[in-house]
Amino acid sequence: MDENRTDENRTDENRTDENRTDENRTDENRTAEGQGGGPEAGGCRGAEPAEQTRRSDAETVAQPAGAPATGRPARPAGRRSLRRRVLRFTTAVLALLLLPLLTAETALRLNYTGDPAPGTRTRHQDALWLGHAWVDGRKTGQDVKALARRLRDTGIRDLYVHSGPLEHDGTLPASDYPKARWLIAAVHRELPDVRVQAWLGDKLASEGPDGLRLDRPATRTAVLASTRAILAAGFQGAHFDLEPLHSGDRDYLRLLDDLRELTHARGAVLSVAAHQIDPLPAFHSFWGTTTGHPKWWSQAYFGQVARRVDQIAVMSYDTMQPLQSLYGGYVAQQTSLALEVTPAGTDLLMGLPFYHENRFGHWAHAETVPAAVRGVRLGLTRTDADRARFGVALYVDFAATEADWRAYREDWVG
């Protein structure tokens, strides 16, 4: 955030005309006394004939009263006026830009105040994102047992296991998930009530020439074929994370309509990872215009997506918030916005940051599990405290610390 700077290096042009002496008198206005003596540009009058020492107005240097002559020419009054106008304009622009931001941040801080309602804890609808190592052969039976010990007596019901990514044409080679059947069987032995879903994603060609193109019917058809394959491998659902996905994308909605028909015909779950909702009205349009990356979805579009799926998980991290209180207030706001438009028959999950990075958009000291959980509980309290189909989703297993798991257990599981 830019800071206002004070103009400490004022030059002589900022002094008022009242502080200047009139030393630029013309020959016609000079008196005989003025021709005979007195200081002029550091010399003495009268030492030489007046006609040899007089200067034109353009060569005469104006000096403040009582100040020694410097020999520098005075700056035109028009330039001083222009500088003042530019300064006023810059100050006004900064105020217009900063005032809404400060107002929004203040609102987020206030959103973090208050006490969550009793009972706003896990409804045993939670989920965990798992890395690709679980299906490519790097994990063993001992790892599954350790995972089971970690998840027992928590609210975890769904595992999103990374099984892609999809190719840019929508296809998915079976070689990407060679140990899927083994993992699913092992998890069901240890945790019979937990569902295992295939986490599929890809970069979309929405902001560049490379990536998956949802506007191509052949690509959407290939995604459907890939989904049939992962369900045939034993996965109980398909979880899609396609980014960057712009608000209002109709091709994505068409794909979801087809996927829902496919998954329901096979008794499987259709789940998606969702972008955050506009924190201010039409903010995605403003951000997209200024940065080329409209990060947010409109609340209406979020609702359109939520009505087409069984589960929707908000990626409520990477929020650019610098403090825990502001991040928690932001999550509380996102929770309320999502609850308002998610149908009662759709599972709504809010993402928790089980990773630690410091970069633009994400500060590990601010985006913490305790702040996120408190924000979730406050949003739930204010909007729909008794909602049954609600949970949190933990991102991601391979970056989580013991402190993250402890905060989840103590603050959410309870």
Side-chain angles (χ1 to χ4, degrees):
M1 184 183 298
D2 295 332
E3 297 180 356
N4 296 327
R5 297 178 180 175
T6 59
D7 188 8
E8 298 177 350
N9 300 319
R10 292 176 295 171
T11 58
D12 290 342
E13 63 267 22
N14 293 325
R15 302 178 187 274
T16 61
D17 292 338
E18 288 75 12
N19 292 330
R20 301 181 183 275
T21 59
D22 185 10
E23 295 181 359
N24 298 325
R25 292 172 295 175
T26 63
D27 290 345
E28 291 77 11
N29 294 331
R30 299 181 189 274
T31 63
E33 294 77 9
Q35 296 174 10
E40 179 178 284
C44 294
R45 276 187 199 161
E48 296 185 84
E51 58 270 19
Q52 297 179 8
T53 60
R54 291 173 186 162
R55 298 179 180 178
S56 67
D57 288 348
E59 296 174 319
T60 305
V61 180
Q63 297 292 335
T70 64
R72 291 180 298 177
R75 297 189 184 222
R79 186 179 298 176
R80 296 196 303 272
S81 178
L82 177 61
R83 284 173 57 87
R84 285 194 291 269
R85 287 198 298 270
V86 170
L87 181 60
R88 292 193 193 102
F89 177 77
T90 303
T91 302
V93 170
L94 288 174
L96 288 174
L97 291 176
L98 292 177
L99 184 60
L101 177 61
L102 292 174
T103 301
E105 294 294 84
T106 300
L108 293 182
R109 181 62 184 88
L110 292 174
N111 216 27
Y112 196 58
T113 60
D115 297 318
T120 51
R121 296 187 182 273
T122 187
R123 284 90 203 271
H124 302 284
Q125 308 288 319
D126 305 333
L128 170 65
W129 278 283
L130 294 176
H132 200 80
W134 292 94
V135 292
D136 67 5
R138 283 177 284 171
K139 294 293 186 179
T140 68
Q142 292 303 312
D143 293 313
V144 175
K145 291 180 182 296
L147 178 66
R149 288 193 296 271
R150 170 80 73 184
L151 300 186
R152 285 194 186 98
D153 301 322
T154 69
I156 302 293
R157 183 184 63 161
D158 285 285
L159 300 178
Y160 304 141
V161 186
H162 191 269
S163 305
L166 295 166
E167 299 295 325
H168 288 346
D169 62 0
T171 60
L172 180 67
S175 57
D176 282 358
Y177 50 95
K179 296 293 184 179
R181 290 185 181 277
W182 165 82
L183 173 68
I184 296 167
V187 168
H188 287 166
R189 282 195 303 270
E190 301 292 334
L191 299 166
D193 296 328
V194 170
R195 295 183 301 198
V196 185
Q197 300 190 43
W199 168 14
L200 304 176
D202 191 22
K203 171 187 174 183
L204 295 178
S206 52
E207 296 177 9
D210 299 324
L212 188 145
R213 301 189 64 92
L214 293 178
D215 58 325
R216 295 177 176 172
T219 300
R220 298 199 302 271
T221 298
V223 173
L224 290 171
S226 299
T227 305
R228 290 190 191 94
I230 60 101
L231 295 179
F235 286 106
Q236 296 162 282
H239 174 80
F240 286 89
D241 177 15
L242 302 174
E243 305 179 47
L245 183 58
H246 293 179
S247 183
D249 190 318
R250 302 301 303 178
D251 295 311
Y252 182 60
L253 298 182
R254 293 187 186 97
L255 175 63
L256 293 180
D257 288 336
D258 294 338
L259 286 170
R260 183 180 179 89
E261 182 178 351
L262 168 63
T263 53
H264 283 199
R266 286 161 173 74
V269 179
L270 176 59
S271 174
V272 295
H275 287 31
Q276 297 158 28
I277 301 173
D278 281 333
L280 297 171
F283 195 67
H284 71 279
S285 297
F286 164 77
W287 196 259
T289 301
T290 55
T291 69
H293 174 57
K295 173 183 173 69
W296 291 267
W297 286 352
S298 71
Q299 189 183 36
Y301 186 68
F302 186 97
Q304 290 177 327
V305 173
R307 289 192 293 272
R308 288 169 164 82
V309 298
D310 301 303
Q311 237 177 26
I312 186 166
V314 184
M315 295 180 285
S316 42
Y317 34 75
D318 294 347
T319 64
M320 296 183 285
Q321 298 303 319
L323 302 173
Q324 283 196 69
S325 56
L326 298 179
Y327 172 62
Y330 184 91
V331 173
Q333 181 200 46
Q334 288 291 307
T335 303
S336 292
L337 291 172
L339 282 168
E340 289 171 358
V341 293
T342 302
T346 300
D347 298 337
L348 172 62
L349 284 71
M350 301 303 297
L352 302 185
F354 268 47
Y355 65 102
H356 305 267
E357 297 177 1
N358 287 299
R359 51 177 168 75
F360 177 76
H362 182 94
W363 300 103
H365 68 270
E367 297 197 14
T368 65
V369 176
V373 170
R374 177 175 167 77
V376 167
R377 296 185 64 199
L378 286 170
L380 191 61
T381 297
R382 294 165 183 154
T383 311
D384 192 357
D386 297 324
R387 184 184 179 99
R389 302 190 68 165
F390 183 88
V392 296
L394 323 178
Y395 181 85
V396 58
D397 74 304
F398 55 79
T401 65
E402 289 299 325
D404 295 331
W405 282 108
R406 184 167 57 252
Y408 164 70
R409 281 181 170 274
E410 294 178 358
D411 298 347
W412 179 246
V413 178

